[in-house]
């Protein structure tokens, strides 16, 4: 099951990453770290000039492009666009390993592939995709593309040597990589959750950031409550008002399927929630929305039990 179509700006970026046409060019010189080239047409005649930026010369690390090419040499390079003055730009690295380029070009967005997890890092997962050239590792899964639910590290979703099935997001001949998604093959939980707009729900705060808090609303569904919804008073950080793990009752204001976001709002008296008056109950303490006692004599053990019970209920 594929994800919703990307936003226009993201789609534009994806289009820019799509492989360009491979052209035959002749090296005519060097300009700093760049390689100056001239197109060679099918008849062998020279035509329009262009350049290969230094970072597009090779996937290998070299001191200077002259270590790779010599004047008069003909090579294949991928056309990647034009500079501001209209000069053609090419990538030699995109055509450096013919078998790799052929493999990447054989993959299409939305195609389902299989592979084996090679390495797990805090920023994502590298995958040996079935059919890739020997000695190479072509697949990569960003942390947000591992699963719909909230995770703190990719190791919570996969492990090294694990066999996986994933969907192709995009292929990049210039980096020699195919970007994959595991969660694209699973139903977006927000599709079933979308009818909860306007409902009042209670869940634990799973993360606090300077601008607000993230609240677990259901299995694999997390919503964001902005700091301005927590209080009308001026505070520097939500941590002055709430704690991670604390239960809070909120109203679902919006479910954005396109950006996969849930925006939350404060649940007030109109929603059947009794507000807390700090001035009339000094020292009692309460969370900003008057929902759950905070720093009271009940202690953390009491709330841990509530949290465990509530989380089990949500997941059921």
């Amino acid at each position: 099951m594929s994800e919703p179509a990307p936003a226009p700006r993201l789609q534009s970026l994806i289009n820019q990453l799509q492989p360009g046409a491979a052209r035959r060019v002749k090296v005519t010189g060097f300009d700093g770290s760049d390689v100056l080239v001239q197109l060679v047409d099918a008849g062998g005649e020279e035509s329009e000039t262009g350049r290969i930026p230094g970072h597009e010369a090779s996937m290998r690390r070299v001191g200077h492009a002259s270590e790779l090419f010599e004047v008069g040499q003909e090579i294949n390079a991928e056309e990647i666009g034009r500079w501001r003055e209209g000069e053609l730009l090419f990538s030699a690295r995109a055509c450096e390993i013919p078998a790799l380029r052929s493999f990447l070009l054989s993959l299409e967005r939305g195609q389902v592939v299989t592979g084996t997890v090679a390495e797990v890092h805090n920023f994502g997962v590298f995958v040996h995709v079935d059919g890739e050239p020997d000695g190479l590792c072509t697949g990569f899964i960003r942390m947000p593309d591992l699963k719909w639910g909230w995770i703190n590290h990719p190791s919570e979703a996969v492990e090294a040597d694990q066999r996986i099935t994933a969907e192709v997001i995009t292929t990049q001949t210039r980096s020699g990589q195919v970007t994959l998604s595991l969660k694209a093959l699973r139903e977006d939980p927000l599709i079933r959750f979308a009818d909860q707009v306007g409902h009042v729900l209670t869940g634990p705060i799973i993360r606090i950031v300077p601008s607000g808090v993230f609240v677990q609303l259901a299995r694999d569904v997390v919503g964001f409550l902005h700091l301005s919804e927590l209080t009308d008073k001026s505070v520097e950080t939500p941590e002055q008002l709430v704690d991670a793990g604390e239960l809070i009752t909120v109203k679902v204001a919006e479910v954005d399927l396109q950006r996969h976001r849930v925006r939350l709002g404060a649940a007030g008296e109109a929603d059947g929630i009794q507000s807390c008056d700090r001035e009339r109950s000094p020292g009692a303490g309460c969370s900003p929305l008057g929902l759950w006692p905070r720093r009271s004599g009940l202690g953390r053990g009491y709330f841990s039990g509530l949290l465990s019970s509530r989380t089990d209920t949500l997941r059921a």
Side-chain angles (χ1 to χ4, degrees):
M1 179 174 295
S2 300
E3 300 179 53
R9 183 173 298 180
L10 177 58
Q11 184 61 59
S12 175
L13 176 60
I14 292 176
N15 291 340
Q16 293 177 36
L17 295 175
Q18 295 302 309
R23 308 292 296 273
R24 191 71 176 172
V25 299
K26 177 186 287 188
V27 177
T28 59
F30 301 94
D31 180 14
S33 62
D34 295 352
V35 183
L36 302 179
V37 297
Q38 193 166 35
L39 276 173
V40 178
D41 64 21
E45 297 183 4
E46 300 172 351
S47 55
E48 190 173 3
T49 61
R51 73 173 58 223
I52 300 172
H55 63 279
E56 293 290 347
S58 175
M59 293 185 185
R60 295 172 288 166
R61 291 187 178 183
V62 295
H64 191 269
S66 59
E67 298 176 34
L68 300 168
F69 313 114
E70 57 184 29
V71 175
Q73 179 181 353
E74 290 189 6
I75 61 173
N76 291 323
E78 181 180 295
E79 186 176 333
I80 59 176
R82 289 183 179 273
W83 189 238
R84 277 172 273 182
E85 293 78 13
E87 184 180 33
L88 275 172
L89 296 180
F90 298 92
S91 172
R93 61 185 290 162
C95 300
E96 188 170 19
I97 307 175
L100 173 59
R101 180 176 178 84
S102 296
F103 172 71
L104 294 174
L105 291 178
S106 71
L107 303 176
E108 298 180 354
R109 176 176 171 81
Q111 182 177 339
V112 177
V113 297
T114 54
T116 303
V117 174
E119 299 176 2
V120 179
H121 298 273
N122 58 0
F123 53 85
V125 177
F126 290 98
V127 180
H128 284 299
V129 181
D130 293 350
E132 69 185 14
D134 293 339
L136 299 176
C137 183
T138 60
F140 181 71
I141 307 175
R142 301 181 310 129
M143 184 169 166
D145 291 318
L146 286 168
K147 62 180 299 184
W148 291 110
W150 190 284
I151 58 175
N152 295 310
H153 192 275
S155 60
E156 298 175 30
V158 295
E159 59 184 13
D161 298 323
Q162 178 180 334
R163 292 288 297 171
I164 62 167
T165 300
E167 182 175 301
V168 174
I169 296 179
T170 185
T171 57
Q172 302 172 37
T173 51
R174 291 156 64 186
S175 65
Q177 195 170 79
V178 52
T179 305
L180 306 172
S181 172
L182 285 183
K183 73 177 187 182
L185 297 179
R186 298 171 176 82
E187 182 182 50
D188 183 348
L190 289 192
I191 294 177
R192 295 177 181 270
F193 187 81
D195 62 359
Q196 294 298 307
V197 174
H199 289 209
V200 174
L201 302 174
T202 299
I205 295 173
I206 62 172
R207 186 179 181 187
I208 300 177
V209 295
S211 57
V213 299
F214 289 91
V215 182
Q216 185 84 45
L217 302 170
R219 183 181 180 86
D220 292 339
V221 177
V222 173
F224 180 72
L225 182 68
H226 193 271
L227 178 59
S228 61
E229 297 285 347
L230 283 168
T231 180
D232 294 330
K233 298 180 180 180
S234 177
V235 295
E236 295 182 358
T237 171
E239 292 176 326
Q240 296 176 246
L241 304 168
V242 294
D243 298 319
E246 182 175 342
L247 288 172
I248 190 168
T249 299
V250 294
K251 176 183 282 189
V252 180
E254 178 187 18
V255 175
D256 188 338
L257 295 176
Q258 186 74 40
R259 296 187 295 174
H260 194 74
R261 296 179 182 176
V262 177
R263 182 169 60 85
L264 305 176
E269 295 182 14
D271 303 302
I273 304 299
Q274 184 177 0
S275 63
C276 169
D277 189 335
R278 292 181 183 271
E279 295 183 356
R280 287 186 295 173
S281 53
C286 63
S287 60
L289 305 181
L291 309 171
W292 298 91
R294 169 169 195 276
R295 295 187 180 90
S296 67
L298 292 173
R300 284 287 180 188
Y302 175 80
F303 294 110
S304 296
L306 276 177
L307 175 59
S308 176
S309 174
R310 179 61 188 175
T311 302
D312 290 342
T313 301
L314 287 170
R315 289 180 175 176

